[in-house]
Each structure stands twice: as structure tokens, then as C-alpha cells.
Amino acid sequence: MRWLSAAAGKEVAAALAASRALLAFDFDGTLAPIVADRTRATMKASTRALLAAACRRYPVVVVSGRARADVGARVAGLGVKVVVGNHGIEPASATRAMARAVASTRSALAQALEGTPGVELEDKRFSLSVHFRRAPRPELARRAILAAIARLSVPVRTIPGKRLVNVLPAGAPDKGDAVLRLADQARAARVLYVGDDVTDEAVFRLRDRRLVTVRVGRAAASEASWYLRRQEDLDALLAALCSAREGP
């Protein structure tokens, strides 16, 4: 993993601009800073303006762990071509059967975790996020969540996150599946993907020559090719991408 400095960012942007490129971004921690209250997550004005400018120059997609309607409202009006929600499930793989399975899982977890301090269950219809950011003893809360998941009668897939555990139906697609599908649909020769969390490793670990992967925040175990030091550095990357492909 190499640092995507300003100079390196310009080189990467130039290579993308010279090809049939698709730009893909996670939302929380990538386009928008992480906040204590997830309902208040929003892009800075500068990022919104730069993302809108990028959308005028490239096809841009957002691939988020949030429900598709949720994240779609947060990027509305900017020109984003496709919004994918629930870690790659929505819209292509979302079914009523999957929603029923998640509802059943939610009921079981709600009962098992009732009374666990600081734990909050977020129902996104096609997946769940069990938050423990507000838990007074986070490690105990995390263990309680994992123990409750282990006792479920149906198989699920879990993805750890920043003070949360994501719970998805077994066999559900991931962000990597979604990005490859979108790349094929766009007939992209190059694909930039920027993310910040464990769920984004599904893209980072892909061995596809079209991919240029960037992680927000350095992590020794990450399989991303590049990293930005902090979320605020995304603006410089967006600016470089816009400058590399000038025009309306």
C-alpha cells in the first residue's frame, strides 16, 4: 500500500482521465466524514462541489453500506449515475425473500441483545447494522453482539466495521460483486474505487487489472493499492480527477 500523495494523485488521475474510466466511492468515511450520529452524515460543501464536477466528466457511482434510498438522498442532484446500497445488495439482488430473512434475523437479535447498554440495531431491510458506538464498555458490547449472532438459527454473513457489526444474508453479494458488475455495464477500461472500512476490502482484494483502489486511512492489513492519510484528502483527489479531464 502506497501513499497517494498530491503528485501521485495527479499521475493516477491522468491515467484514469486518458481511459474509459468509472469512478466509484463509498459514502461514510470516504465522501463524508464519520460522525457520532449517523443520521447527520453529510458531505462538506467543497466535496459536494467537486463530486458534482467529477460527475460532469466521468460516470460516477456510489457503493454504500447504507440503504440505497438513504445514501441516494445524500448524493441527490449531483449527477451520480448509480447508487448501490446494503453493501452491494441493492438494487440488483434485493428480493422479498431476502427482506423476510433479514426481518426474522432482526427479531432474533433484538430479543437477544435487549438490555445490552449502548447497542442499537439498524434495520436496512436487506441487511442489519448492530451499532455499539455509544456503549459504555465497547468490547463487552462487541462480544455480546457476536455471541448473539452465533446463536442465530439461520446462516448469515458478518462484516465488522467502525464500532458496528454488519449482518447480511448468507450468499448475498458484496461490494466487489457490485463494482465488477457496474464496470462491465459501463464497459470501463479503468475503475477507481475509494473506501475506508472492512466492507470495502471486498473490492480491494479483487485481482482485476482495471481496478485502482484507494483506502482512506492507512491499514497494514488492507489490500488496497493506495491510501489517503485522512478523509479530508479526498477533495484533492477529486480536484486532480477534474483537472485531468477539463471540459463541461
Side-chain angles (χ1 to χ4, degrees):
M1 179 185 282
R2 294 167 288 172
W3 172 41
L4 193 65
S5 64
K10 289 179 180 179
E11 291 181 8
V12 167
L16 288 162
S19 65
R20 188 182 180 93
L22 174 71
L23 309 185
F25 302 92
D26 176 36
F27 186 77
D28 293 274
T30 301
L31 289 174
I34 296 289
V35 292
D37 182 353
R38 65 181 184 276
T39 66
R40 300 178 67 86
T42 187
M43 287 180 282
K44 295 177 298 182
S46 58
T47 307
R48 288 188 67 88
L50 286 164
L51 184 62
C55 288
R56 295 193 293 270
R57 293 162 170 79
Y58 305 84
V60 174
V61 300
V62 173
V63 184
S64 174
R66 288 178 180 263
R68 184 171 182 246
D70 182 343
V71 72
R74 297 171 197 274
V75 299
L78 300 180
V80 173
K81 293 290 185 185
V82 180
V83 173
V84 174
N86 273 295
H87 307 279
I89 294 173
E90 289 184 291
S93 302
T95 64
R96 291 181 179 178
M98 186 178 290
R100 287 194 296 270
V102 170
S104 176
T105 299
R106 183 195 185 285
S107 296
L109 286 179
Q111 182 175 359
L113 294 169
E114 185 178 4
T116 305
V119 171
E120 182 182 356
L121 190 57
E122 181 186 5
D123 187 346
K124 296 178 289 187
R125 192 179 181 196
F126 300 105
S127 76
L128 305 169
S129 289
V130 190
H131 299 266
F132 57 97
R133 184 175 298 275
R134 298 176 180 176
R137 303 181 69 181
E139 182 56 26
L140 287 180
R142 187 185 70 85
R143 291 178 186 175
I145 292 165
L146 295 178
I149 291 170
R151 293 194 296 269
L152 291 171
S153 60
V154 295
V156 296
R157 178 162 62 89
T158 60
I159 308 173
K162 296 174 179 177
R163 295 290 180 96
L164 64 87
V165 179
N166 297 294
V167 184
L168 293 78
D174 58 28
K175 287 188 174 185
D177 299 319
V179 168
L180 290 181
R181 183 178 65 252
L182 292 169
D184 291 342
Q185 290 173 353
R187 298 181 182 178
R190 301 296 296 276
V191 182
L192 172 72
Y193 183 81
V194 189
D196 76 303
D197 208 348
V198 176
T199 183
D200 301 300
E201 292 295 330
V203 184
F204 298 157
R205 64 174 169 259
L206 291 173
R207 296 295 176 259
D208 189 305
R209 292 187 176 183
R210 296 173 294 178
L211 277 171
V212 178
T213 54
V214 181
R215 189 184 194 279
V216 178
R218 189 177 185 278
S222 177
E223 296 194 51
S225 299
W226 300 91
Y227 74 93
L228 296 172
R229 286 176 170 169
R230 54 193 180 187
Q231 189 274 329
E232 291 87 346
D233 295 337
L234 181 71
D235 279 9
L237 177 58
L238 287 170
L241 288 163
C242 292
S243 294
R245 188 177 279 185
E246 290 293 352

